[in-house]
Amino acid sequence: MRIPVIAGNWKMFKRAADALDLVKKLTPMVVGVDDVQVIVAPSFTVLPSVHGALSGTRISLSGQDCFWGEEGAFTGEVSPGMLIDAGCSHVIIGHSERRQHFGETDETVNKKIKAALQAGLIPIACIGETLQERESGDTLAVLERQLSFGLAGIPEEDAGCLIIAYEPVWAIGTGRTATDEQAQEVHAFVRGLLARIYHPGFADRLRILYGGSVKPDNIKGLMSCTDIDGALVGGASLSAESFASIVKFGK
Ligand code: PGA
């Protein structure tokens, strides 16, 4: 039994007042939802205030990235421990925008997942192919590489809490969602990979989220797929109405 997860990735949007406004609108809208785990990932600067505004709700807080060291001379970086101080229970790692624009590699993703786990954060580890990789038939090979390097050296007892997010890069922010069939095919493949890396029983318990232009009108179809356990939502998480309606996909 895998509890669905709907996570909102606010990216570099929402300064303090707007972030608090969004949370204030969102919380009453999802108050009765107890069969879906809801997570929001605001920018670093508003984490503590959003954490305060979430107190007494069932919504969890996530960072959008972290460094792999606990402290040191690493100007501009934020450690997993600092995210915990700010009220986070989760952290997004390896988002394609970080891979694309900020030099994130499978190796740094691996270091960050390990550091996050060690600090007690739950990583939401992102994988996904570019349009070029899909068109040249490399999708599954790319995902296999990202997953096997990303999880290298992480034992089953540590990996049990992990959340994986499959986000085809060509579907992010483009309004072009993968079809339910395309997404299900990849999710089943990813679960199979996890079964090979760990074992089938383990893979059956892990949540695999889909991300890329998830909206209120496509969430139901995606969630009806056997191996899709939730969504990582960008654009549609910036409005309380659309995010709440995605959270309430089953209602
Ligand atoms: P999108 O972003 O929903 O705006 O496509 C998803 C993501 O980047 O996590």
Side-chain angles (χ1 to χ4, degrees):
M1 176 58 188
R2 302 186 294 263
I3 297 168
V5 178
I6 302 290
N9 172 12
W10 295 2
K11 306 192 180 184
M12 201 177 71
F13 292 100
K14 304 283 178 195
R15 288 172 60 176
D18 292 338
L20 289 178
D21 189 51
L22 173 54
V23 172
K24 218 161 93 196
K25 285 189 184 131
L26 177 65
T27 45
M29 289 180 186
V30 298
V31 80
V33 180
D34 49 15
D35 49 357
V36 173
Q37 186 183 2
V38 183
I39 303 171
V40 292
S43 60
F44 288 138
T45 53
V46 299
L47 286 172
S49 58
V50 169
H51 180 242
L54 290 176
S55 102
T57 75
R58 300 167 48 92
I59 303 175
S60 306
L61 190 66
S62 173
Q64 296 180 11
D65 184 31
C66 67
F67 186 59
W68 57 79
E70 216 12 84
E71 59 178 22
F74 301 106
T75 303
E77 292 298 316
V78 172
S79 73
M82 289 169 178
L83 288 184
I84 289 178
D85 284 349
C88 291
S89 50
H90 293 70
V91 59
I92 298 171
I93 293 177
H95 190 281
S96 66
E97 285 151 15
R98 300 226 52 92
R99 294 179 190 257
Q100 225 178 326
H101 305 302
F102 304 101
E104 192 85 82
T105 63
D106 295 332
E107 192 192 350
T108 58
V109 166
N110 180 247
K111 286 183 180 178
K112 289 178 177 189
I113 294 176
K114 285 178 176 158
L117 287 169
Q118 197 177 9
L121 285 170
I122 299 173
I124 303 173
C126 302
I127 55 173
E129 81 287 1
T130 62
L131 184 59
Q132 198 193 353
E133 288 162 343
R134 174 160 285 261
E135 285 177 345
S136 49
D138 293 334
T139 298
L140 302 184
V142 167
L143 298 174
E144 179 157 6
R145 189 203 72 220
Q146 290 176 338
L147 204 61
S148 53
F149 280 102
L151 299 182
I154 300 173
E156 181 184 336
E157 57 272 24
D158 294 343
C161 66
L162 264 181
I163 297 174
I164 306 289
Y166 165 60
E167 300 201 297
V169 179
W170 48 270
I172 294 179
T174 58
R176 238 187 106 178
T177 339
T179 62
D180 298 347
E181 294 71 27
Q182 277 173 327
Q184 167 56 27
E185 183 197 2
V186 170
H187 279 237
F189 173 78
V190 169
R191 203 175 300 286
L193 274 178
L194 291 166
R196 262 198 279 146
I197 297 172
Y198 296 100
H199 61 80
F202 176 87
D204 274 347
R205 289 192 298 275
L206 230 56
R207 270 106 39 107
I208 308 173
L209 316 185
Y210 170 80
S213 298
V214 172
K215 302 279 183 274
D217 61 2
N218 58 26
I219 184 70
K220 242 195 166 87
L222 289 163
M223 291 306 292
S224 68
C225 300
T226 324
D227 289 294
I228 299 183
D229 306 313
L232 182 54
V233 186
S237 72
L238 298 175
S239 126
E241 288 77 13
S242 58
F243 190 59
S245 116
I246 292 172
V247 166
K248 296 194 268 192
F249 67 89
K251 308 267 179 244

